[in-house]
């Protein structure tokens, strides 16, 4: 567990402007900074950074927060991982407490093990007595200089690495956590890699985090990668990204291949904006990482069925963040290294320049493999086409995809749409059955379960389906930006409205603007505390933040103010960064404060007046005196509504205040 003290140390050591500048160009406007959002495609800057409070907000995609939230989105990390990432960046050693610190090896120590392992394997390749690895690389056209440039190595096995690392002071626990050694019952540790050439895998900063090993002769598995560790995730990391990053940024384009030697061959041939996946298809994490630096991603496939299957799997990313996702297929079933060896880097560059838009390629291949001359062939093509676009079923462009299929099979779009609904339902059913079967298999393999009666097992199996529904719901919420922790924090302060009227939406905007100004100028708001008590807040989190800030001593620094806000609302950074009035209004701060207080009181009076009118219309007042009091209150509120409307009329360049004659 990371302590609050360490978290504050990391936050204090991180300059948000410099952090964002690592990815995009940032420009200063007055006391604030703006840039194009690194998380979605745009041409006009809408990403807002406030240096004094160290918070950010994008008015295009709605994301925002502090430095930790920025790294969570940029690097696809959890909150604790984002703290560790920034701590390493700032050179801060975290003192973690609890289960993690007692049972796991620190990330820095695992990286030390990986670095020592890479150096050992590289030395054995370059100077070892066993020359088989050197001969293997030489046969693939990889000479001594290339081996040195990419720190390639040789793993002999037979406990050589374990003995070397043990002599260097690393413990068995550290070797196992780094996954360079395996524990065998009764026989100590053994090397994970045996008789393989080694490709060290580096993170974005060029630190060794894992290894890929290829067998030099016959045998299986042909490739063996480091398993998942605390510093290596094959669905997130990319081979060669540390070398390719600056070239990707320069070209705004990245080439994705599927093997270490393919990436090396392309790089050596002058195509240096190239990375390789690590035994997986292109994942959502990969796409998010690459689109931070590139607007075009070209997937370079082998010219075989596996390459086509990979293209179909990548189809789900075609609408992600305005990315131009393309593919290039090599002829004669050549892989990129073989193609470069036979025909040269210039020929590969020409083929990449002729890359095909991914959706067009997938539908062209569907047409080529389909027998459209027979009714059965057209039915098969119709189903295959619908299965292809299943990941895009919620897209606004889905009718355009239906039209592509309709043109292919010679049907009208309505028939394709009806067929797609049936195919989509079938696919979802197949996924549920597979999920249920997997859950049953895991359950039945449990030793305790095998001892239960058949009736007991059947009863327990029926509970798998609700679990599956809960997982689907959680996945859906996360896909829309929610998370269990976020939902819990919302409930902790008060339920956030989920269905808002137009008036409440406008009031919510005003609340956010007020909180944004309040974090910057708390002392200017203190004389208006009485007026703030009269506001009926739409979002109770905003009210909690406001009173937490006003409870701080006069003259408090912005960091103290933000700390008080975070104490009552974990989303305080994002809320505080969501306002624009301080940077866009032509009026002085005092005028903006008065305007916001007037506007929020106006919205409060409007909502109260509507409630009163509804009560009068529905004749819920049984007593004449009660009805008279309601009429008097409505009259007073109407008069106050007119006063407030006149007050905000000349300053309403930020909020769309309702007119005074409504609701009177």
């Amino acid at each position: 567990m990371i302590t609050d003290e360490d978290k504050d140390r990391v936050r204090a050591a991180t300059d948000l402007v410099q952090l964002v500048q690592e990815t995009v160009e940032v420009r200063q406007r007055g006391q604030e900074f703006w840039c194009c959002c690194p998380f979605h495609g745009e041409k006009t800057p809408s990403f807002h950074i406030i240096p004094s409070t160290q918070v950010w907000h994008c008015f295009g995609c709605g994301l925002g927060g502090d430095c930790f939230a920025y790294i969570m989105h940029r690097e696809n990390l959890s909150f604790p991982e984002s703290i560790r990432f920034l701590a390493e960046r700032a050179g801060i050693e975290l003192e973690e407490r609890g289960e993690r610190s007692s049972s796991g090896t620190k990330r820095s120590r695992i990286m030390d093990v990986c670095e020592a392992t890479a150096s050992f394997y590289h030395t054995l390749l370059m100077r070892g007595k066993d020359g088989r690895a050197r001969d293997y690389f030489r046969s693939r056209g990889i000479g001594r200089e290339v081996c040195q440039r990419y720190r390639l190595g040789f793993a002999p096995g037979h406990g050589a690495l374990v003995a070397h690392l043990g002599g260097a002071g690393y413990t068995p626990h550290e070797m196992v956590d780094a996954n360079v050694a395996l524990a065998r019952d009764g026989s100590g540790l053994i090397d994970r890699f045996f008789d393989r050439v080694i490709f060290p895998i580096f993170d974005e900063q060029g630190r060794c985090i894992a290894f890929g090993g290829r067998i030099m002769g016959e045998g299986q598995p042909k490739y063996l990668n480091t398993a998942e560790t605390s510093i290596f995730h094959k669905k997130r990391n990319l081979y060669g990204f540390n070398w390719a990053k600056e070239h990707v940024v320069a070209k705004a384009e990245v080439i994705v291949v599927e093997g270490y030697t393919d990436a090396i061959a392309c790089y050596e041939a002058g195509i240096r904006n190239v990375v390789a996946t690590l035994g997986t298809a292109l994942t959502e994490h990969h796409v998010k990482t690459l689109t931070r630096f590139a607007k075009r991603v070209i997937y370079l496939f082998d010219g075989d069925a596996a390459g086509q299957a990979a293209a179909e799997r990548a189809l789900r990313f075609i609408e992600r963040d305005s990315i131009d996702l393309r593919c290039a297929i090599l002829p004669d079933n050549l892989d990129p290294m073989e193609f470069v060896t036979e025909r040269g880097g210039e020929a590969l560059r020409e083929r990449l320049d002729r890359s095909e838009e991914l959706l067009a390629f997938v539908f062209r291949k569907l047409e080529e493999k389909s027998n459209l001359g027979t009714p059965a062939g057209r039915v098969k093509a119709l189903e295959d086409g619908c299965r292809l676009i299943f990941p895009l079923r919620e897209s606004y462009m889905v009718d355009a995809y239906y039209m592509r299929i309709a043109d292919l099979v010679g049907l009208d779009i309505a028939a394709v749409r009806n067929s797609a609904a049936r195919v989509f339902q079938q696919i979802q059913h197949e996924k549920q059955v597979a999920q249920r079967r997997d859950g049953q298999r895991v359950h039945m393999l449990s030793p305790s379960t095998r001892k239960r009666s058949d009736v007991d097992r059947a009863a327990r199996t029926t509970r798998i389906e609700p679990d599956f529904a809960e997982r689907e719901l959680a996945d859906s919420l996360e896909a829309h930006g929610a998370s269990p922790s976020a939902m819990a924090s919302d409930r902790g302060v008060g339920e956030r409205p989920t269905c808002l009227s137009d008036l409440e939406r406008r009031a919510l905007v005003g609340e956010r603007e007020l909180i944004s100004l309040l974090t910057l100028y708390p002392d200017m708001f203190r004389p208006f505390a009485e007026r703030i008590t009269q506001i009926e807040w739409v979002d109770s989190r905003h009210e909690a933040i406001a009173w937490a800030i006003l409870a701080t001593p006069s003259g408090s620094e912005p960091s103290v103010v933000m700390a008080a806000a975070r104490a009552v609302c974990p989303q305080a950074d994002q809320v505080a960064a969501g306002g624009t009035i301080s940077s866009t209004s032509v009026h002085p701060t005092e005028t903006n404060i008065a305007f916001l207080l007037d506007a929020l009181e106006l919205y409060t009076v409007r909502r109260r007046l509507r409630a009163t009118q509804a009560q009068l219309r529905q004749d819920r007042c049984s007593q004449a005196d009660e009805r008279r009091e309601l009429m008097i209150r409505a009259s007073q509120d109407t008069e106050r509504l007119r006063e407030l409307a006149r007050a905000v009329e000349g300053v309403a360049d930020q909020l769309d205040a309702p007119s005074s004659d409504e609701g009177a």
Side-chain angles (χ1 to χ4, degrees):
M1 179 179 177
I2 300 173
T3 65
D4 289 339
E5 292 80 5
D6 277 347
K7 183 170 65 176
D8 291 339
R9 285 171 58 213
V10 173
R11 180 186 280 114
T14 303
D15 185 302
L16 185 59
V17 176
Q18 292 182 357
L19 185 65
V20 176
Q21 280 178 328
E22 293 178 359
T23 304
V24 294
E25 182 182 0
V26 177
R27 294 186 177 180
Q28 186 171 3
R29 296 182 189 172
Q31 298 299 314
E32 297 164 351
F33 292 82
W34 293 81
C35 63
C36 290
C37 180
F39 307 126
H40 78 281
E42 63 178 4
K43 296 181 179 179
T44 303
S46 63
F47 191 95
H48 180 209
I49 307 170
I50 306 176
S52 61
T53 54
Q54 289 290 295
V55 294
W56 61 275
H57 180 79
C58 176
F59 294 96
C61 63
L63 296 176
D66 60 0
C67 58
F68 301 125
Y70 179 78
I71 287 298
M72 288 170 66
H73 290 294
R74 196 187 82 173
E75 302 293 334
N76 304 305
L77 300 177
S78 66
F79 180 63
E81 289 172 337
S82 71
I83 299 175
R84 297 186 188 103
F85 181 97
L86 290 175
E88 290 176 8
R89 177 179 178 271
I92 296 174
E93 186 71 24
L94 299 177
E95 295 295 333
E96 300 194 38
R97 301 172 182 171
E99 181 179 344
R100 178 183 175 90
S101 60
S102 61
S103 62
T105 303
K106 289 185 178 179
R107 288 167 55 91
S108 60
R109 191 66 173 169
I110 293 179
M111 287 185 178
D112 290 343
V113 173
C114 290
E115 179 60 34
T117 300
S119 297
F120 178 69
Y121 284 156
H122 183 63
T123 300
L124 289 181
L125 172 66
M126 304 305 291
R127 297 189 224 138
K129 294 180 180 179
D130 192 334
R132 290 176 299 153
R134 291 191 291 273
D135 293 339
Y136 171 82
F137 281 128
R138 194 177 300 114
S139 70
R140 300 296 301 269
I142 299 176
R144 182 181 184 86
E145 290 184 359
V146 175
C147 290
Q148 289 177 329
R149 188 174 298 125
Y150 300 96
R151 298 185 65 190
L152 307 183
F154 169 58
H158 303 291
L161 177 66
V162 170
H164 172 77
L165 293 178
Y170 296 103
T171 66
H173 190 67
E174 290 169 340
M175 298 181 213
V176 171
D177 281 354
N179 200 235
V180 297
L182 304 174
R184 289 291 176 88
D185 293 339
S187 60
L189 297 184
I190 61 170
D191 293 355
R192 173 171 176 78
F193 298 101
F194 175 88
D195 236 12
R196 291 176 181 269
V197 291
I198 296 295
F199 298 84
I201 300 168
F202 303 93
D203 66 7
E204 188 176 328
Q205 286 76 40
R207 300 170 297 191
C208 183
I209 57 173
F211 301 90
R214 190 196 192 284
I215 199 165
M216 294 181 287
E218 298 298 324
Q220 292 295 329
K222 184 177 179 181
Y223 287 98
L224 180 65
N225 286 336
T226 296
E228 297 276 311
T229 70
S230 62
I231 62 173
F232 172 66
H233 309 280
K234 64 182 180 180
K235 291 185 177 181
R236 293 180 177 176
N237 296 111
L238 291 159
Y239 180 77
F241 192 48
N242 54 307
W243 300 301
K245 180 178 175 180
E246 61 179 291
H247 304 286
V248 171
V249 172
K251 290 181 172 291
E253 175 188 272
V254 61
I255 316 300
V256 181
V257 296
E258 296 185 308
Y260 314 113
T261 55
D262 293 335
I264 291 173
C266 291
Y267 200 89
E268 291 299 307
I271 301 171
R272 302 195 165 177
N273 54 327
V274 60
V275 298
T277 54
L278 296 164
T280 69
L282 199 65
T283 68
E284 183 173 2
H285 292 295
H286 293 150
V287 172
K288 285 183 178 179
T289 297
L290 295 175
T291 52
R292 286 164 39 207
F293 306 99
K295 295 301 181 186
R296 170 180 290 188
V297 177
I298 302 178
Y299 214 161
L300 182 58
F301 298 113
D302 298 354
D304 55 14
Q308 183 175 336
E312 293 174 0
R313 288 193 297 270
L315 197 63
R316 66 186 185 274
F317 303 124
I318 62 172
E319 297 181 358
R320 183 65 51 83
D321 295 329
S322 303
I323 185 176
D324 180 12
L325 190 56
R326 310 179 71 82
C327 68
I329 303 297
L330 299 178
D332 304 325
N333 289 334
L334 295 174
D335 63 35
M337 184 173 190
E338 292 168 340
F339 187 91
V340 168
T341 302
E342 288 187 12
R343 310 187 188 186
E346 191 59 35
L348 180 59
R349 181 74 262 175
E350 292 175 1
R351 188 164 288 272
L352 291 170
D353 290 340
R354 299 197 305 270
S355 61
E356 189 173 4
E357 188 261 332
L358 186 65
L359 187 67
F361 165 79
V362 169
F363 274 99
R364 178 170 62 80
K365 286 297 182 182
L366 175 62
E367 181 177 5
E368 290 176 1
K369 73 176 184 179
S370 300
N371 182 9
L372 299 175
T374 65
R378 292 170 63 198
V379 170
K380 180 67 165 56
L382 174 61
E383 180 170 344
D384 289 346
C386 292
R387 285 182 174 272
L388 281 176
I389 66 171
F390 175 76
L392 306 171
R393 62 193 180 281
E394 302 295 337
S395 167
Y396 291 113
M397 296 288 295
V398 70
D399 278 347
Y401 306 142
Y402 289 154
M403 185 62 71
R404 278 182 178 260
I405 299 173
D407 292 341
L408 176 66
V409 299
L411 295 175
D412 60 56
I413 191 171
V416 174
R417 189 183 292 110
N418 292 336
S419 297
R422 174 184 56 80
V423 174
F424 294 167
Q425 186 176 12
Q426 181 180 347
I427 294 172
Q428 289 172 329
H429 176 70
E430 291 169 359
K431 289 186 173 184
Q432 291 178 1
V433 170
Q435 187 87 25
R436 191 180 302 117
R437 187 180 296 117
D438 290 343
Q440 290 174 345
R441 184 180 299 113
V442 171
H443 182 70
M444 297 302 291
L445 288 175
S446 168
S448 60
T449 304
R450 288 198 295 267
K451 296 178 182 178
R452 297 179 185 273
S453 65
D454 292 341
V455 175
D456 189 32
R457 286 200 301 270
R460 288 176 59 82
T461 301
T462 60
R463 286 199 286 271
I464 292 174
E465 197 160 352
D467 292 340
F468 171 75
E470 290 172 9
R471 287 194 297 271
E472 287 289 298
L473 177 60
D475 290 343
S476 176
L477 288 170
E478 289 183 0
H480 289 81
S483 67
S485 60
M487 290 183 286
S489 62
D490 283 358
R491 290 192 295 269
V493 179
E495 288 289 336
R496 186 177 183 180
T498 56
C499 184
L500 300 177
S501 67
D502 180 67
L503 183 61
E504 288 171 328
R505 281 194 294 270
R506 285 187 281 177
L508 197 59
V509 172
E511 291 175 14
R512 290 171 180 161
E513 294 287 354
L514 185 141
I515 294 298
S516 182
L517 272 186
L518 185 57
T519 58
L520 294 172
Y521 311 104
D523 290 341
M524 297 180 69
F525 277 85
R526 298 187 195 280
F528 303 105
E530 184 63 28
R531 287 198 67 184
I532 294 176
T533 63
Q534 305 302 316
I535 296 174
E536 291 181 8
W537 299 81
V538 177
D539 192 332
S540 59
R541 298 177 304 173
H542 296 165
E543 182 178 17
I545 292 172
W547 288 115
I549 293 174
L550 290 173
T552 60
S554 296
S556 296
E557 294 292 329
S559 60
V560 175
V561 171
M562 288 306 301
R566 292 187 194 103
V568 297
C569 178
Q571 296 84 25
D573 291 315
Q574 187 170 353
V575 174
T580 61
I581 195 169
S582 63
S583 59
T584 59
S585 174
V586 298
H587 302 293
T589 301
E590 294 83 355
T591 303
N592 289 332
I593 291 175
F595 166 72
L596 287 173
L597 291 172
D598 287 339
L600 288 175
E601 186 183 350
L602 185 147
Y603 293 133
T604 296
V605 174
R606 282 288 307 279
R607 296 203 301 277
R608 189 169 64 223
L609 183 58
R610 284 185 178 181
T612 301
Q613 290 172 333
Q615 195 172 357
L616 288 168
R617 281 194 301 270
Q618 296 173 17
D619 197 24
R620 285 180 291 184
C621 313
S622 56
Q623 301 296 326
D625 290 342
E626 183 181 357
R627 189 174 185 85
R628 187 181 303 109
E629 287 181 7
L630 287 176
M631 292 288 292
I632 293 172
R633 186 191 309 167
S635 177
Q636 292 172 341
D637 284 344
T638 301
E639 181 59 29
R640 180 59 178 161
L641 194 68
R642 294 193 179 101
E643 293 174 1
L644 292 169
R646 286 193 295 269
V648 302
E649 185 177 7
V651 198
D653 53 40
Q654 299 300 315
L655 298 177
D656 181 17
S659 60
S660 61
D661 57 349
E662 287 185 46

